[in-house]
Coordinates of all heavy atoms in Angstrom, one line a residue:
I1 N -19.9 -123.2 115.4 CA -20.6 -122.1 116.0 C -21.8 -121.7 115.2 O -22.9 -121.4 115.8 CB -19.6 -120.9 116.3 CG1 -18.5 -121.3 117.3 CG2 -20.4 -119.7 116.8 CD1 -17.5 -120.3 117.6
F2 N -21.6 -121.5 113.9 CA -22.7 -121.1 113.1 C -23.9 -122.1 113.1 O -25.0 -121.7 113.2 CB -22.2 -120.9 111.6 CG -23.2 -120.3 110.7 CD1 -23.7 -119.0 110.9 CD2 -23.7 -121.1 109.6 CE1 -24.6 -118.5 110.0 CE2 -24.6 -120.6 108.8 CZ -25.1 -119.3 108.9
I3 N -23.5 -123.4 112.9 CA -24.6 -124.4 112.9 C -25.3 -124.5 114.3 O -26.5 -124.5 114.4 CB -24.0 -125.8 112.6 CG1 -23.5 -125.8 111.1 CG2 -25.0 -126.9 112.8 CD1 -22.8 -127.1 110.7
A4 N -24.5 -124.4 115.4 CA -25.1 -124.6 116.7 C -25.9 -123.4 117.2 O -26.9 -123.6 117.9 CB -24.0 -124.9 117.7
Y5 N -25.5 -122.2 116.8 CA -26.1 -121.0 117.4 C -27.0 -120.3 116.4 O -27.8 -119.4 116.8 CB -25.0 -120.0 117.9 CG -24.3 -120.5 119.0 CD1 -23.1 -121.3 118.9 CD2 -24.7 -120.3 120.4 CE1 -22.4 -121.8 120.0 CE2 -24.0 -120.8 121.4 CZ -22.8 -121.5 121.2 OH -22.1 -122.0 122.3
V6 N -26.9 -120.6 115.1 CA -27.7 -119.8 114.1 C -28.6 -120.7 113.2 O -29.8 -120.4 113.1 CB -26.7 -119.0 113.2 CG1 -27.5 -118.3 112.1 CG2 -25.8 -118.1 114.0
V7 N -28.1 -121.7 112.7 CA -28.9 -122.5 111.7 C -30.0 -123.3 112.4 O -29.9 -123.8 113.5 CB -27.9 -123.5 111.0 CG1 -28.7 -124.4 110.0 CG2 -26.8 -122.8 110.3
K8 N -31.2 -123.3 111.7 CA -32.3 -124.0 112.2 C -32.4 -125.4 111.4 O -31.9 -125.5 110.3 CB -33.6 -123.2 111.9 CG -33.6 -121.8 112.6 CD -33.5 -121.9 114.1 CE -33.5 -120.5 114.7 NZ -33.2 -120.6 116.2
R9 N -33.1 -126.3 112.0 CA -33.2 -127.6 111.4 C -33.8 -127.6 110.1 O -33.5 -128.5 109.2 CB -34.0 -128.6 112.4 CG -34.1 -130.0 111.9 CD -34.6 -130.9 113.0 NE -35.9 -130.6 113.4 CZ -36.6 -131.3 114.4 NH1 -36.1 -132.4 114.9 NH2 -37.9 -131.0 114.7
H10 N -34.8 -126.7 109.8 CA -35.5 -126.7 108.5 C -34.7 -125.9 107.4 O -35.1 -125.9 106.3 CB -36.9 -126.1 108.7 CG -36.9 -124.7 109.2 ND1 -37.0 -124.5 110.6 CD2 -36.7 -123.5 108.6 CE1 -37.0 -123.2 110.8 NE2 -36.8 -122.6 109.6
D11 N -33.6 -125.3 107.8 CA -32.7 -124.7 106.8 C -31.9 -125.7 106.1 O -30.6 -125.7 106.2 CB -31.8 -123.6 107.5 CG -32.6 -122.5 108.1 OD1 -33.7 -122.2 107.6 OD2 -32.2 -121.9 109.1
S12 N -32.5 -126.5 105.3 CA -31.8 -127.7 104.7 C -30.6 -127.4 103.9 O -29.5 -127.9 104.1 CB -32.8 -128.5 103.9 OG -33.9 -128.9 104.7
F13 N -30.7 -126.5 103.0 CA -29.6 -126.2 102.1 C -28.4 -125.6 102.9 O -27.3 -126.0 102.7 CB -30.1 -125.2 101.0 CG -28.9 -124.8 100.1 CD1 -28.5 -125.6 99.1 CD2 -28.3 -123.5 100.2 CE1 -27.5 -125.2 98.2 CE2 -27.3 -123.2 99.4 CZ -26.8 -124.0 98.4
L14 N -28.7 -124.7 103.7 CA -27.7 -124.0 104.5 C -27.0 -125.1 105.5 O -25.8 -125.1 105.6 CB -28.2 -122.9 105.4 CG -27.3 -122.0 106.2 CD1 -26.2 -121.4 105.3 CD2 -28.0 -121.0 107.0
L15 N -27.8 -125.9 106.1 CA -27.3 -126.9 107.0 C -26.4 -127.9 106.3 O -25.3 -128.2 106.7 CB -28.5 -127.7 107.7 CG -28.1 -128.8 108.7 CD1 -27.3 -128.2 109.8 CD2 -29.4 -129.4 109.2
L16 N -26.8 -128.4 105.1 CA -26.1 -129.4 104.4 C -24.8 -128.8 103.8 O -23.8 -129.5 103.7 CB -26.9 -130.0 103.3 CG -28.0 -131.0 103.7 CD1 -28.7 -131.6 102.6 CD2 -27.5 -132.1 104.7
T17 N -24.9 -127.5 103.4 CA -23.7 -126.9 102.9 C -22.6 -126.7 103.9 O -21.4 -127.0 103.7 CB -24.0 -125.5 102.3 OG1 -25.0 -125.6 101.3 CG2 -22.8 -124.8 101.8
C18 N -23.0 -126.3 105.1 CA -22.1 -126.2 106.3 C -21.6 -127.5 106.7 O -20.4 -127.6 106.9 CB -22.8 -125.5 107.4 SG -23.3 -123.8 107.2
Y19 N -22.4 -128.5 106.7 CA -21.9 -129.9 107.0 C -20.9 -130.4 106.0 O -19.9 -131.1 106.4 CB -23.1 -130.8 107.2 CG -22.8 -132.1 107.8 CD1 -22.5 -132.2 109.2 CD2 -22.7 -133.3 107.1 CE1 -22.2 -133.4 109.8 CE2 -22.4 -134.5 107.6 CZ -22.1 -134.6 109.0 OH -21.8 -135.8 109.6
T20 N -21.2 -130.2 104.8 CA -20.2 -130.6 103.7 C -18.9 -129.9 103.9 O -17.8 -130.6 103.8 CB -20.8 -130.3 102.3 OG1 -22.1 -131.0 102.2 CG2 -19.8 -130.8 101.2
L21 N -18.9 -128.6 104.2 CA -17.6 -127.9 104.5 C -16.9 -128.5 105.7 O -15.7 -128.6 105.7 CB -17.9 -126.4 104.6 CG -18.3 -125.7 103.3 CD1 -18.8 -124.3 103.6 CD2 -17.2 -125.7 102.3
L22 N -17.7 -128.8 106.7 CA -17.2 -129.3 108.0 C -16.5 -130.7 107.7 O -15.4 -131.0 108.2 CB -18.3 -129.5 109.0 CG -18.5 -128.5 110.1 CD1 -19.6 -128.9 111.0 CD2 -17.2 -128.3 110.9
F23 N -17.2 -131.5 106.9 CA -16.6 -132.8 106.6 C -15.4 -132.7 105.8 O -14.4 -133.5 105.9 CB -17.7 -133.7 105.9 CG -17.7 -135.1 106.3 CD1 -18.4 -135.5 107.4 CD2 -16.9 -136.1 105.7 CE1 -18.4 -136.8 107.9 CE2 -16.9 -137.4 106.1 CZ -17.6 -137.7 107.2
T24 N -15.3 -131.7 104.9 CA -14.1 -131.5 104.1 C -13.0 -131.1 105.0 O -11.8 -131.6 104.8 CB -14.4 -130.4 103.0 OG1 -15.5 -130.8 102.2 CG2 -13.2 -130.2 102.2
A25 N -13.3 -130.2 105.9 CA -12.2 -129.8 106.9 C -11.8 -131.0 107.7 O -10.5 -131.1 108.0 CB -12.7 -128.7 107.8
F26 N -12.7 -131.8 108.1 CA -12.4 -133.0 108.9 C -11.4 -134.0 108.1 O -10.4 -134.4 108.6 CB -13.7 -133.7 109.3 CG -13.5 -135.2 109.6 CD1 -12.7 -135.7 110.6 CD2 -14.2 -136.2 108.9 CE1 -12.6 -137.0 110.9 CE2 -14.1 -137.5 109.1 CZ -13.3 -137.9 110.2
L27 N -11.8 -134.2 106.9 CA -10.9 -135.1 106.0 C -9.5 -134.5 105.8 O -8.5 -135.2 105.7 CB -11.6 -135.3 104.7 CG -12.9 -136.2 104.8 CD1 -13.5 -136.3 103.4 CD2 -12.6 -137.5 105.4
T28 N -9.5 -133.1 105.7 CA -8.2 -132.5 105.5 C -7.3 -132.6 106.7 O -6.1 -133.0 106.6 CB -8.4 -131.0 105.2 OG1 -9.2 -130.8 104.1 CG2 -7.1 -130.2 105.1
M29 N -7.9 -132.5 107.9 CA -7.1 -132.6 109.1 C -6.7 -134.1 109.3 O -5.6 -134.3 109.8 CB -8.0 -132.1 110.3 CG -8.2 -130.6 110.4 SD -9.0 -130.0 111.8 CE -10.7 -130.5 111.4
W30 N -7.6 -135.0 109.0 CA -7.2 -136.4 109.0 C -6.0 -136.7 108.1 O -5.1 -137.4 108.5 CB -8.4 -137.3 108.7 CG -8.1 -138.7 108.3 CD1 -8.1 -139.2 107.0 CD2 -7.7 -139.8 109.1 NE1 -7.7 -140.5 107.0 CE2 -7.5 -140.9 108.2 CE3 -7.5 -139.9 110.5 CZ2 -7.1 -142.1 108.7 CZ3 -7.1 -141.2 110.9 CH2 -6.9 -142.3 110.1
Y31 N -6.1 -136.2 106.9 CA -5.0 -136.4 105.9 C -3.7 -135.9 106.4 O -2.6 -136.6 106.1 CB -5.4 -135.8 104.6 CG -4.4 -136.0 103.5 CD1 -4.3 -137.2 102.8 CD2 -3.5 -134.9 103.1 CE1 -3.4 -137.3 101.8 CE2 -2.6 -135.1 102.1 CZ -2.5 -136.3 101.4 OH -1.6 -136.5 100.4
Y32 N -3.6 -134.8 107.0 CA -2.4 -134.2 107.4 C -1.9 -134.5 108.8 O -0.9 -134.0 109.3 CB -2.4 -132.7 107.3 CG -2.4 -132.2 105.8 CD1 -3.5 -131.6 105.2 CD2 -1.2 -132.4 105.0 CE1 -3.5 -131.1 103.9 CE2 -1.2 -131.9 103.7 CZ -2.3 -131.3 103.2 OH -2.3 -130.9 101.9
A33 N -2.6 -135.4 109.5 CA -2.2 -135.8 110.8 C -1.2 -137.0 110.7 O -1.5 -138.1 111.1 CB -3.5 -136.2 111.6
Y34 N 0.0 -136.7 110.2 CA 0.9 -137.7 110.0 C 2.0 -137.9 111.1 O 2.9 -138.7 111.0 CB 1.7 -137.5 108.7 CG 2.2 -136.1 108.5 CD1 3.3 -135.6 109.2 CD2 1.5 -135.2 107.6 CE1 3.7 -134.3 109.0 CE2 2.0 -133.9 107.5 CZ 3.1 -133.5 108.2 OH 3.5 -132.2 108.0
S35 N 1.9 -137.1 112.2 CA 2.8 -137.2 113.3 C 2.0 -137.2 114.6 O 0.9 -136.7 114.7 CB 3.8 -136.0 113.3 OG 3.1 -134.8 113.6
S36 N 2.7 -137.8 115.6 CA 2.0 -137.9 116.9 C 1.8 -136.6 117.5 O 0.8 -136.4 118.2 CB 2.9 -138.8 117.9 OG 4.2 -138.2 118.0
K37 N 2.7 -135.6 117.2 CA 2.5 -134.3 117.8 C 1.2 -133.6 117.2 O 0.5 -133.0 117.9 CB 3.7 -133.4 117.4 CG 3.6 -132.0 117.9 CD 4.9 -131.2 117.6 CE 4.8 -129.8 118.1 NZ 6.1 -129.0 117.7
R38 N 1.0 -133.8 115.9 CA -0.2 -133.2 115.3 C -1.4 -134.0 115.7 O -2.5 -133.3 115.9 CB 0.0 -133.3 113.7 CG 0.9 -132.3 113.2 CD 0.8 -132.0 111.8 NE 1.6 -130.9 111.4 CZ 1.7 -130.4 110.2 NH1 1.1 -131.1 109.2 NH2 2.5 -129.4 109.9
V39 N -1.3 -135.2 116.0 CA -2.5 -136.0 116.5 C -2.9 -135.4 117.8 O -4.1 -135.2 118.1 CB -2.2 -137.5 116.6 CG1 -3.3 -138.2 117.3 CG2 -2.0 -138.1 115.2
R40 N -1.9 -135.2 118.7 CA -2.2 -134.6 120.0 C -2.9 -133.3 119.9 O -3.8 -132.9 120.6 CB -1.0 -134.6 120.9 CG -0.5 -135.9 121.3 CD 0.6 -135.8 122.4 NE 1.8 -135.1 121.9 CZ 2.8 -135.8 121.4 NH1 2.8 -137.1 121.3 NH2 3.9 -135.1 121.0
W41 N -2.3 -132.5 119.0 CA -2.9 -131.1 118.8 C -4.3 -131.2 118.3 O -5.2 -130.4 118.7 CB -2.0 -130.4 117.8 CG -2.4 -128.9 117.6 CD1 -2.1 -127.9 118.4 CD2 -3.2 -128.5 116.5 NE1 -2.7 -126.7 117.8 CE2 -3.4 -127.1 116.7 CE3 -3.7 -129.1 115.4 CZ2 -4.1 -126.3 115.8 CZ3 -4.5 -128.3 114.5 CH2 -4.6 -126.9 114.7

């Protein structure tokens, strides 16, 4: 929501910081998706 509605393309540091945090969250969710129930969720 913050990236899509607030951040501008030229806000490089803010954009990359948010993207890095997003990717960290993505990898965390991938790591803990060890059951079919969690995959569906």
Side-chain angles (χ1 to χ4, degrees):
I1 291 174
F2 184 65
I3 292 175
Y5 293 91
V6 179
V7 179
K8 304 299 181 185
R9 184 167 62 177
H10 58 266
D11 296 331
S12 300
F13 178 77
L14 186 59
L15 180 60
L16 291 183
T17 300
C18 291
Y19 190 73
T20 301
L21 291 172
L22 262 182
F23 220 86
T24 302
F26 157 60
L27 294 177
T28 300
M29 290 185 284
W30 159 257
Y31 179 77
Y32 285 113
Y34 48 73
S35 68
S36 58
K37 181 179 179 180
R38 286 200 169 173
V39 170
R40 289 193 295 271
W41 182 82

